[in-house]
Amino acid sequence: MEDYELFNRKTKAFIFGTQQRAGQRMLDFDYLSQRETPSVAGFITPTGEGYYHLFWGTKEIRVPRYRSIEEAVKAHPDADVMINFASERSSAETTMEALETETIRTVVMIAEGVPQRDTRKIAAFAKKNNKWVIGPATVGGIKAGAFKIGNAGGTIENIKELKLYRPGSVGFVSVSGGMSNEGYNICHLNSDGIYEGIAVGGDVYPATTLLDHLLRYEKNPKIKMMVCLGEVGGTDEYEIAKAVKNGEITKPLVMWVTGTCAKVLPGQVQFGHAGAKADREEATAQAKNKALREAGVIVPNSFDDFGEKIRETFEKLKAEGKIEPVVEPTPPNIPMDYSAAVAQGLVRRPTHFISTICDERGELHNYCGVPIDEVIKKGYGIGGVIGLLWFKKDLPKYAREFIELVLQIVADHGPAVSGAHNTIVTARAGKGLIESIISGIVTIGPRFGGAVNGAAEHFTWGLENNMSPREFVDAMKAKNVRIQGIGHRIHSVENPDARVQIMIEFARKHFPKTPLLDYALAVEKVTTMKKSSLILNVDGCIGVLCVDLLKNLGYSDKEIKEMIKMGFFNALFILGRTIGFMGHYFDQKRLKTPLYRHPWDDILYDVPEKPDKVENVEK
Amino acid sequence: MAERGIREYDAKRLIAKALPEFSDGKFRYDAKCVLIGPETDMDKVAEENPWLKTEKLVAKPDQLFGKRGKNNLLYVNKTWDEVKKWIRERMNKEVTIIQTTGKTTGILTHFLVEKFVPHDEEYYLAITTHREKDTIHFSTKGGVDIEEVWDTVVTLDIPILSNIEEVDVEGFLPEELGDKKKKVAEFITSIYRILVDYHFTYLEFNPFTFVGDEIVPLDTVAKLDDYASYQCAEKWGKIEFPSSFGMPPKTEEEKYVEELDERTGASLKLTLLNPKGRVWNLVAGGGASVIYADTVVDLGYGDELANYGEYSGNPTTELTYEYTKTILKLMTKEKDPQGRPKYLIIGGGIANFTDVAKTFTGIIQAIEEYADKLKETNVKIYVRRGGPNYKEGLRKMKELGERLGLPIEVYGPETHMTKIVSMALSEKKR
C-alpha cells in the first residue's frame, strides 16, 4: 500500500468495543463491494472473549473477541487498523496503546469528549511514528469499494443508493461526522462519487486535520478533485489556503466553511461541535471562506450552491478527459436484517413467548401497566404488587392488607417443621442460600403447608354441593378423607389460636361478604362437638378466606377452582415461609453451626441379618 | 464544549490549591479572595473571612471580561464598607463595556473581592496551548494592555511530547530580571506543571508581582478543557463555567430544553434568536443545524431567523416530542403582524444510524397536537431528511400533511440538503 493510502480492499481492522452492529455494517459493506474477505479481523472487548456471530452475505460466521489489544495484535499481525469505540474516558489510553504496537498503523477515535491535551499528545506521537489517527468525535470515513469505518456511510440501502461500493474520483473530507454522509450524497449527485471520504471530527484539535487528508488525496493519482467541508472555529482552514497558494495542493478543490450564521447569534453561541466557536475574527466562517477563495479554492456563495460548484468542477475535468469512466459493478444482494424488515413493516412472525403481567422495555418498567415509580409513590405495598403480578388487578386496600397479613402470619413456624429443618440441615452442610432454601421449599406440598389449598378445595366442594355442615363432615368421613384445615395440636375451642382470631376479625370488618368462612365455621361447630381441638386452623382459615377474597374481587367459582389448582394459595404460603427459611439459613451461618448428623440413639436400627433371597424361578 | 472560561476567583482558588504541590513546596499562594454573587450574604462572608475587615481591598467584576480598569470597574485600596457599598451600587445593573473585540452590554452579577497588594514590579505571564506545543509568554512590562508592549514579550515553546524539565526556562527570561531570574523561572515551571495537570487551555497573569520573596498573581484569566472534567473532578472541586458576558438571560423554553438535554445521552439544543422571526429550524445533527442556519443567513434572511437548535444522538420519541412542542409553542405564540406565513424547516442530512421514522414519530405527535395553532399562525412546513428508515419517516410526514390539511412539503436525499430553505424563502418573496 502506498503511504498516502490508509485502506485498501485487503485492509483488516480491529473493532475496540462491543459493537457487533458496527461490525455487521462493515461486513455488509465488504460483501456489497465484493471484497474477498471480511474487513473485521476481530473485536477487542476487555469484558469478555469468545466470538461474535455476524453475517457474511447469507452465511453466518464467527468473528473472534479478544480481551486485550496485545492478544488481538498477536493473533492478527495483518490487521493494521483499530476502530476505537472506547468511551471518552479510556479512548486516549487505548489509542496510545494501539499506536505503540508494531502492526497497527491507523486508529479511529469515535468517542467525543477526549481531553485536548490527550489528543494533542496522540497526534504528535502518531506523526512522529508515521501513523494515522482519525478523530476524536467522528463517525470515521469510508473508502468506496474497499473499506468502511464502523457506522460511516449509514445503512446498506444508503451505500447502494450512493454507490459507495465502487470508487469515484472525488476525495472528500469534512469536520463533521454527521455531515459526512450528506457530503458523500452531494458528491454522488454531482459527480461520479467519492473515492474516499473522511470526517476528522468536531474537536478543537482533531488528531489529523482537513489538510492532512487533502495532502494524501493530492498524492493519490486516482483522486481527480477534492471536496472539503470546514467549520467556524480554529484556523486550520488557513493552512489549506496556504497549501493551495504555495502549490502543495494542485488538484481542483471545492470547499465551504460552515458557520456563517455566527454573526447573527448573540455573544458566543457554542454550536454542536467543540471546535466550532469563533473567538477571533480569523476563526469566523466568513473570513475563512474569503481567504480560501483568494487562495484559488472554489468556494460557493452558500452551502446551497455547494453541489453546483462540485458539478461544474467535475464536468470541466470530464470535458478535459481527466475522468476515467466508471465501470459499474453489479453489487450482490444482501438479505435484509430481520430487525430492519420489522421496522419497515415488511415481515411478521408469530411469537413464541408471551407476557401479560409486566413490560420492562420502556423508560420505566411496569407491573401490569403501572410504572414502577407509581407503584412506590402510590404505596401499593407488597400486597398491591402481588395483586398486579399475580392477579393482574389493582386491588382494593383491604385485599392488599389481607395478603400482607397472611404473609406475616405464615412467615415462620419454628425450626422443627420439615421445611425449616431441611433448610437448617442444608445450611449446616456448608451449602449456600439458594440450595438451603430450595431444600426447604421442596418439602412444601400436600403434607406440609398444603392445607391452605386443600382446605379451600374441601370447603368449596361442600358449599357448592349445598351440603349442610353435618352432611359435609359425614361425606368426608365416608370417603375416609381428613378435612384439610381442621384440627390443631395445641389450640382448641378453649384455647383459641390468636392468628385465626385476627384473620377472622379482619375479614368480618373489611370483606364485603365471607360465605366460605361462614361455612367453615359452621363445619367447625360440628367437628368440635366431637373433639375440642378440631378447630379451623391457620391454614384452613387462610384457605377459606382466600376463596372469599377472590369472590369479592369478582372471580367466578370456575376461575377460583383453576387458581387453586394452579397453586395460587400455596404460593402465599411459599412466599411467606421463604422469609422464615432465609432467617433460619442466616441464623445457622451466623452461628457457624457444624455439619448436622442425626444421633444414632434417635434412629431405630432394625436391619435383618440377611436379606430375603429371591430364588430363580423356572421359566 | 472543550475550552471554557472560568471565573478569576476559581482560577486563583485552583492555583492556590495546586501551587505548593507543583513547586515542591517552593511557592505558596494564600489566595485571599471571595466571590460575591447576587445571592451572597455579605455580612456572613465577612464573618467567615475576617481579613476583609482588616485589610485594604480590591473589588472588580468577575464575569469573563477584561479591561476592567479602562471600563472604570476596578475599585482599589478600599475598606470593606466602601467595597460593600460599591458592589451594592453595581449589582444587577446593566453596563456597556469596551473591549478589543468591541462593545458588549450585559448585567453585572459577580464580583471578586481580594486583598490589596501594594507592589512595584508588574510582570506578565501567559501560557497558550496549540496543536503541537504550549507557549509561555513573559514580559517585565506587565499590568498594561500587553499588545501595547508586545515587543517586550519573550516566548518559549514547549513541544507537546516534551516535559518542562527538559527546557531551559531560566535561559529565555530577560536579563533585567537580575537576581530574580531563577525564582521567576521556578515559578513559571510550577505554573506550567499545573496547567498540564489541571488541563488548563489558557492561563494568564497580567500582572503578577513579588511581595518580598513571595509571588502574587494580581489579575488572572483562565480557561479549562471541560472534556477533562472526569479526570479532574477532585482537582477542580466545584467549578462553574459561566456564559460569556452579554449573553441574554435564558428564556423559560431554552431552560426547558437544557433540562431535556441533561436527562439524556442524546443532544437537544435551543437558542432563541428572534422570537418574531418567521423561519424556525428543527434540524437533526450538530453539523447540519449550523448549515441550515447559515443558509437562511446567506440567502439574506438573517433577521428572520428565529432560532438555532439541533437534536441528535438518537433521542427517544418522548424527547423529540417535547423538543418539537417547545419550538411549536414558541412559533405559534403570535401571528406575523403583517399576516405573512411562517416557515418550519424540519431538516437534516443523511443520518448514519439514527432511525428517521422513529425520531419523526415524536415530531409528528407534536405537530398533531399543534395542528390548529399551526393553521392559525399560517405555518408552512418543509421536510428534508435521509438515513435509516427514512422512506417510512417521509411517508408518515406526507400522510400527516394530508390528514391534517397542513401544508407540508417532503423531500429525501435526492434533494440538496438546504434546498428546502430556498424553497421556503423564495415562496416567501411571493
Side-chain angles (χ1 to χ4, degrees), chain A residues 123-141:
Chain A
F125 181 85
K127 202 169 185 183
K128 202 168 123 192
N129 293 284
N130 279 322
K131 298 203 171 189
W132 287 81
V133 175
I134 300 169
T138 183
V139 69

Side-chain angles (χ1 to χ4, degrees), chain B residues 55-247:
Chain B
E55 304 277 358
K56 287 286 188 176
L57 305 170
V58 178
K60 53 191 174 182
D62 190 358
Q63 292 178 248
L64 308 191
F65 64 83
K67 306 261 189 286
R68 290 167 289 197
K70 285 196 173 164
N71 283 292
N72 219 2
L73 288 169
L74 194 57
Y75 199 52
V76 181
N77 198 9
K78 303 291 174 187
T79 66
W80 173 238
D81 285 333
E82 288 170 312
V83 163
K84 271 201 293 193
K85 184 164 171 275
W86 187 80
I87 290 178
R88 281 199 182 119
E89 281 166 8
R90 280 157 188 80
M91 182 64 83
N92 292 323
K93 297 273 156 55
E94 193 178 87
V95 293
T96 299
I97 53 158
I98 301 167
Q99 289 173 282
T100 0
T101 45
K103 276 189 190 179
T104 315
T105 302
I107 292 165
L108 295 175
T109 54
H110 287 81
F111 294 84
L112 178 74
V113 180
E114 58 188 345
K115 186 185 150 184
F116 171 65
V117 180
H119 58 275
D120 300 320
E121 303 105 329
E122 294 202 321
Y123 301 121
Y124 170 81
L125 172 67
I127 309 179
T128 52
T129 56
H130 313 273
R131 168 176 288 281
E132 292 177 345
K133 65 189 184 195
D134 302 313
T135 306
I136 299 170
H137 310 257
F138 179 82
S139 165
T140 53
K141 305 272 183 295
V144 292
D145 197 348
I146 198 68
E147 281 86 6
E148 285 170 18
V149 290
W150 197 246
D151 52 346
T152 68
V153 176
V154 289
T155 61
L156 175 68
D157 287 342
I158 319 282
I160 179 77
L161 289 181
S162 62
N163 291 315
I164 184 99
E165 284 72 23
E166 301 161 12
V167 179
D168 179 15
V169 180
E170 215 178 316
F172 103 104
L173 291 172
E175 286 307 325
E176 61 197 276
L177 274 171
D179 56 352
K180 288 204 169 104
K181 210 167 156 184
K182 181 155 184 271
K183 192 128 198 176
V184 170
E186 280 172 353
F187 176 68
I188 291 177
T189 305
S190 311
I191 291 294
Y192 179 79
R193 287 187 192 135
I194 295 172
L195 171 114
V196 171
D197 199 70
Y198 276 57
H199 285 267
F200 281 97
T201 59
Y202 182 73
L203 197 49
E204 179 194 277
F205 302 127
N206 185 23
F208 74 89
T209 190
F210 278 89
V211 175
D213 236 12
E214 272 193 29
I215 284 180
V216 183
L218 295 174
D219 230 348
T220 307
V221 182
K223 284 183 186 175
L224 291 174
D225 175 6
D226 78 343
Y227 278 173
S229 50
Y230 170 70
Q231 286 87 335
C232 293
E234 285 80 23
K235 288 174 193 162
W236 292 351
K238 200 172 157 281
I239 201 109
E240 188 195 352
F241 296 106
S243 36
S244 56
F245 186 70
M247 280 287 276

Side-chain angles (χ1 to χ4, degrees), chain B residues 342-356:
Chain B
K342 293 190 181 190
Y343 304 95
L344 177 64
I345 307 284
I346 302 176
I350 302 177
N352 285 307
F353 45 86
T354 299
D355 188 318
V356 173

